[in-house]
Amino acid sequence: LAPCRAATPTPQHRHAFALMKVRVGIIGLPNVGKSTLFNALAQKALAHAANFPFCTIEPNVAPIAVPDEHQGQLQAFADLARA
């Protein structure tokens, strides 16, 4: 297999690497731990979790950091200064 080669971003797209955001949802059957998983990922008790079905009816939203081992390389590639 040929090695992967990254495309060179244009100046107007350089900062897109640092600003990429993904929206995801947790779905599943009632009373299986979706709110507990959400709270663990958010590292805060944002979603009410109890031991009965349909405890959490309203959607919960939180920004969750996703560590990426390539982030430093992408920032260097895009000439971004780390704050």
Side-chain angles (χ1 to χ4, degrees):
L1 294 172
C4 237
R5 188 171 58 95
T8 304
T10 59
Q12 62 266 30
H13 295 106
R14 284 188 179 270
H15 298 290
F17 288 110
L19 301 176
M20 291 192 309
K21 294 182 181 181
V22 177
R23 295 185 71 160
V24 298
I26 302 171
I27 58 172
L29 296 172
N31 209 29
V32 295
K34 295 178 298 292
S35 295
T36 302
L37 175 63
F38 178 82
N39 288 337
L41 291 172
Q43 298 178 351
K44 295 179 183 175
L46 299 173
H48 182 68
N51 195 21
F52 58 89
F54 305 106
C55 173
T56 308
I57 298 296
E58 295 298 319
N60 294 289
V61 179
I64 297 174
V66 179
D68 184 4
E69 61 191 40
H70 303 293
Q71 181 179 2
Q73 295 170 350
L74 292 172
Q75 285 181 336
F77 182 69
D79 296 325
L80 294 177
R82 189 148 202 187

